[in-house]
Amino acid sequence: MPPANTNKKQKLIDLKALGRASECLKTIAHPHRLRMVEMLLSGRYTVGELAEACGIPSHMASEHLRLMQRCGLLSSQRDGRRNYYEIAEPHLKGIMDCIQNRFG
Amino acid sequence: MPPANTNKKQKLIDLKALGRASECLKTIAHPHRLRMVEMLLSGRYTVGELAEACGIPSHMASEHLRLMQRCGLLSSQRDGRRNYYEIAEPHLKGIMDCIQNRFG
DNA sequence: TAATAATATCGTAATATAACGATATATCAA
DNA sequence: TTGATATATCGTTATATTACGATATTATTA
């Protein structure tokens, strides 16, 4: 049953904020990128480790990671020729919890 | 700071489930569709009401709603020539809460 | 029945995204 | 310095998404 519609004017989120939110959602809305986020929530990993876990070539993992870093979801630290990625946006935990509850 | 990487093998979500999750995320990853979900979390609305709130023609609202209904996020009840849409996937509340916390 | 209203569908063009081979860069090791 | 390793970038093609006008469907009202 849907909630009763109170017809009260609620404070709606600013449309620009919804635009930014949809950019972020679109960015994680990919099976391999969700896998990477899921793994990174338990610690940092290199490009190669994430690529292997997803079963994709590392140059493609690199591209996925770049997209997620670009919108502030991840950050990276280089160590020699390794590049470690980690979660930069703590709210990703809540999103993954929702996905885990619904699909896990 | 990222969480310490315990290097324990965690139970990862099945890849097919991540595929379904990414379909749903992609579907709501649009500013107008997020607005519709936000409104529908407080009650049911017609196509026309949602269209007006988003500032788009109702035939486009109808298309957005169809996409969200197709992957089980919404359902609809026709009443005469009105069609009322409502939330069918309760986990949308959690997702919107995350968005509200981060962007609202 | 005719006109209107609310919603849905179709066709299309513009744009975005995805995958991937090829190539480039940067670091380490021999 | 040479070769190997890890990651990143480029160019291209295939596919998906978006917006939107035109048209269709269904239900109400005159």
Side-chain angles (χ1 to χ4, degrees):
Chain A
M1 195 170 68
N5 186 338
T6 62
N7 281 331
K8 282 183 191 164
K9 282 191 189 176
Q10 54 180 323
K11 233 182 279 179
L12 293 173
I13 299 174
D14 171 59
L15 188 59
K16 281 187 184 175
L18 291 183
R20 278 179 276 124
S22 61
E23 284 301 307
C24 289
L25 289 176
K26 212 182 297 185
T27 300
I28 61 171
H30 182 291
H32 293 148
R33 296 201 284 261
L34 287 178
R35 172 73 79 224
M36 291 175 180
V37 169
E38 185 188 23
M39 291 177 65
L40 291 169
L41 283 168
S42 76
R44 62 181 210 160
Y45 287 93
T46 66
V47 177
E49 289 168 336
L50 294 165
E52 190 187 2
C54 292
I56 60 178
S58 54
H59 83 274
M60 286 181 56
S62 175
E63 173 70 1
H64 288 309
L65 293 163
R66 188 183 66 81
L67 291 173
M68 290 192 281
Q69 186 168 31
R70 194 183 55 175
C71 63
L73 300 175
L74 303 183
S75 61
S76 62
Q77 316 160 267
R78 189 169 272 280
D79 176 20
R81 50 190 159 179
R82 306 276 170 94
N83 202 0
Y84 286 89
Y85 280 83
E86 63 192 33
I87 298 290
E89 171 49 71
H91 291 88
L92 282 173
K93 176 74 167 65
I95 300 281
M96 275 308 298
D97 284 348
C98 290
I99 293 173
Q100 166 76 39
N101 286 338
R102 172 64 184 78
F103 296 98
Chain B
M1 195 172 62
N5 186 336
T6 61
N7 282 331
K8 283 185 192 161
K9 282 191 188 174
Q10 53 178 323
K11 232 183 279 177
L12 294 172
I13 299 173
D14 172 58
L15 188 59
K16 281 187 183 172
L18 290 182
R20 279 179 275 125
S22 61
E23 284 301 307
C24 290
L25 289 175
K26 211 182 299 183
T27 300
I28 61 171
H30 183 291
H32 294 148
R33 295 200 286 260
L34 285 179
R35 172 72 79 225
M36 291 175 180
V37 169
E38 185 187 22
M39 290 177 66
L40 292 170
L41 283 168
S42 76
R44 60 181 212 159
Y45 288 95
T46 66
V47 176
E49 289 168 336
L50 294 166
E52 192 187 2
C54 293
I56 60 178
S58 54
H59 81 274
M60 286 180 55
S62 176
E63 174 70 0
H64 288 309
L65 292 162
R66 189 185 64 83
L67 290 174
M68 291 191 281
Q69 186 167 31
R70 194 184 52 173
C71 63
L73 299 174
L74 304 182
S75 62
S76 62
Q77 316 160 263
R78 189 168 273 281
D79 176 21
R81 51 189 160 183
R82 307 275 170 95
N83 202 1
Y84 287 90
Y85 280 84
E86 64 190 34
I87 299 288
E89 172 49 70
H91 291 88
L92 282 173
K93 177 75 168 62
I95 300 281
M96 277 308 297
D97 284 348
C98 290
I99 293 172
Q100 166 76 37
N101 287 338
R102 171 64 183 79
F103 297 98

